[in-house]
Amino acid sequence: MSLLFRHLAESFRKPDHWLYASWLDVITKYRKNALGLFWIFFPPIIYIWGLGLFFRAIRGSAVPEEAGFLAHIGFGFIAFRLMSTVVMEAGNSFASYLPYIHEGHLRLTDYVLRPLARSVIYFLFAVPLLVIVLVGDAPILPMGMLGALVGFLVVLVNLLLYGTLLAFIGARFPDVNQFFSSVMLAMFLITPIVWFAKDAPADTVHGMLMRANPFHHLLAVVRGPVLGEPIEPMTYAYLGVMTAVGLVLASIVYGRLAKRMPAWL
């Protein structure tokens, strides 16, 4: 067993350092605010009913009966926020916990899991709002819930693998952390969140950009089964290759660089 998977197994056996600590991070962030945890719900509300209604009005009669558009944008925003938060925070995973590393806590998977766990907590808080918009705006496919759950697990596995790679890159080259934040803005624009994937045919430039975008495929396997949106066969092949490559790279990089990483900080 590689060092990465050995450390992951230990992290899941002893989740107090990353799971409980991530929950505390979320709670303490809002403790001093007058509205407390309400601020967790505020961004999804703004994006779903604010941007959702705005963009639906812009589309107007171009698409008759835009049924499911609020559900489409709500699901897209919540899932994309989960992914983008991990990407933007992964580069600082090790630097943020430098004192623990210098004290000898060298199970680095704990630090990679913390931003992932925080993002999942925010996602779970947003689920009730997503249920409301699904019930009110789109027909739900009950059998699709199982497919969405499998897709969600694929998303989490990839975020863990590539979050590990980004953590080492960010530790070695701190300047790239600003690059990650800038890239995610561009990814948002070419991911079908406020528009439908069918609006980007494969033979167009924006269609090719969308299909080259990993976040489009990760989002499709979570949102598509529930809302009944078609998933291209290319998506399954793309994610299969992406997961396999991430598995190999994360295992090699972690095994070779885990002991050197503290010297970079």
Side-chain angles (χ1 to χ4, degrees), residues 27-111:
I27 296 300
T28 56
K29 179 178 180 180
Y30 300 97
R31 177 175 294 174
K32 295 182 179 180
N33 295 329
L35 297 180
L37 288 176
F38 170 77
W39 290 111
I40 292 181
F41 301 103
F42 192 67
I45 290 173
I46 292 298
Y47 273 85
I48 294 173
W49 285 280
L51 282 182
L53 292 173
F54 175 75
F55 277 101
R56 186 164 68 177
I58 288 178
R59 293 173 72 88
S61 59
V63 180
E65 301 297 330
E66 283 279 67
F69 185 70
L70 290 184
H72 173 87
I73 194 174
F75 221 126
F77 167 72
I78 293 171
F80 187 83
R81 184 175 68 160
L82 165 69
M83 296 184 286
S84 63
T85 301
V86 174
V87 171
M88 290 187 292
E89 294 184 0
N92 289 314
S93 295
F94 299 144
S96 298
Y97 305 104
L98 182 59
Y100 294 102
I101 295 174
H102 283 173
E103 286 176 4
H105 189 102
L106 296 178
R107 192 171 64 223
L108 302 181
T109 49
D110 287 346
Y111 312 121

Side-chain angles (χ1 to χ4, degrees), residues 10-30:
E10 294 174 4
S11 291
F12 284 113
R13 281 198 301 268
K14 301 176 181 178
D16 53 300
H17 190 81
W18 58 274
L19 184 57
Y20 180 64
S22 298
W23 171 249
L24 287 180
D25 288 343
V26 174
I27 296 300
T28 56
K29 179 178 180 180
Y30 300 97

